[in-house]
Amino acid sequence: WQFYWVHFPDTFMEANLLPHQPLLHLSIDSESLRERIYRTFNRILEDSRERSEYWLELCTTAIQELLLIIAQKSYRHIDPRIEEVQYLLSKNMHQPIRIDELADSVGLSASRLSHLFKESTGLSIIDTLNQMRVQQAVLLLQHTDRSASEVCYDVGFQNYNHFTNQFRKWYGVNPSVFKSNKNKNVYLLI
C-alpha cells in the first residue's frame, strides 16, 4: 500500500471540482494512471526540494493536475480495464492496433472487451482509435507545414483514402480543405 498526502490551499479553482468531503479516499485501479500520479508526486517532491527557478509554479501546476485527475475519477466511473485500453490506444495510436492484443493486456476476451468498451464509452474501439488519430492529425495540420498525406501516416493511418474518409466523418471536410482553412474555427462532429 502506498499513501500520498497533499495539503493545498482551497484557493485552487480545481478544488471546487472535488466532492465536498473532509477526507477523500480514492482507489486507482488503472496501472497507467497510478504511474502518472506517482510521477506527478515525485515531480512535486523534486521541485520543492530543489527550489530552482519557478519551483513553486511547477509544484502548483502539478497539484492542479492531480486535482483534475481526482475530480475526473470521482465523477466518471468507468471500468479500469477500459481506462487502460484508452491509455494504450493513445500511447500506441501511431502503430497498428489489434483488439485481441488489447484484450490480452487487460485480461478479457476480444469480444467481451469490444462490448464493454462500447457500453462504457459509446464508441467502438476502432472508432475511438480513428477519432484519436484524426484529432492528432488536426493538430499537425494546424501547427505544422506537413501535407495531409504526410500527416496521415504520422498519426498511424496506413491508407490515405481511409484517413480522408475518417477525417470527413469527424470534421465534415477532407484534410486538404481543412489545412487550407486552418485559421478558421473547426469543431469535432459528434
Side-chain angles (χ1 to χ4, degrees):
W1 293 46
Q2 290 183 324
F3 295 95
Y4 293 97
W5 297 88
V6 175
H7 298 273
F8 55 88
D10 62 1
T11 56
F12 285 137
M13 175 212 58
E14 294 80 6
N16 295 329
L17 300 174
L18 298 177
H20 297 288
Q21 301 170 0
L23 180 64
L24 177 64
H25 175 264
L26 188 64
S27 294
I28 307 296
D29 297 321
S30 167
E31 180 64 32
S32 58
L33 187 55
R34 272 197 310 270
E35 249 326 288
R36 179 178 179 180
I37 291 169
Y38 178 76
R39 286 191 313 267
T40 305
F41 272 110
N42 280 334
R43 282 196 332 264
I44 292 169
L45 289 172
E46 290 169 8
D47 291 333
S48 66
R49 288 176 184 151
E50 289 174 16
R51 304 273 173 146
S52 60
E53 193 172 1
Y54 303 114
W55 74 271
L56 183 58
E57 290 81 359
L58 291 168
C59 289
T60 300
T61 302
I63 291 171
Q64 289 171 322
E65 176 184 355
L66 289 172
L67 291 173
L68 289 170
I69 289 170
I70 291 167
Q72 184 181 51
K73 282 295 292 177
S74 297
Y75 294 107
R76 187 176 146 209
H77 301 289
I78 190 166
D79 188 302
R81 297 168 295 187
I82 300 306
E83 285 182 339
E84 189 66 21
V85 168
Q86 289 175 320
Y87 167 76
L88 292 171
L89 289 174
S90 68
K91 180 180 173 189
N92 301 310
M93 74 174 174
H94 303 93
Q95 305 165 17
I97 304 274
R98 293 179 42 127
I99 293 176
D100 59 336
E101 291 173 358
L102 289 172
D104 286 344
S105 72
V106 295
L108 293 171
S109 69
S111 63
R112 179 66 186 133
L113 173 62
S114 295
H115 175 76
L116 188 59
F117 192 95
K118 184 153 188 173
E119 182 181 282
S120 299
T121 66
L123 292 173
S124 71
I125 295 170
I126 299 302
D127 278 344
T128 300
L129 176 62
N130 286 333
Q131 184 184 46
M132 287 178 176
R133 287 175 171 168
V134 169
Q135 287 172 332
Q136 185 66 32
V138 165
L139 293 173
L140 291 172
L141 290 170
Q142 286 176 323
H143 302 290
T144 69
D145 292 330
R146 298 188 62 73
S147 70
S149 61
E150 291 171 317
V151 166
C152 160
Y153 299 105
D154 290 345
V155 299
F157 284 99
Q158 304 298 312
N159 178 295
Y160 184 73
N161 289 333
H162 180 57
F163 168 63
T164 302
N165 289 337
Q166 287 299 311
F167 200 99
R168 195 176 301 115
K169 172 183 175 181
W170 294 106
Y171 283 88
V173 296
N174 72 40
S176 299
V177 170
F178 177 86
K179 177 127 178 111
S180 65
N181 295 326
K182 71 180 178 182
N183 293 328
K184 298 179 181 171
N185 291 334
V186 178
Y187 302 98
L188 179 65
L189 302 174
I190 295 180

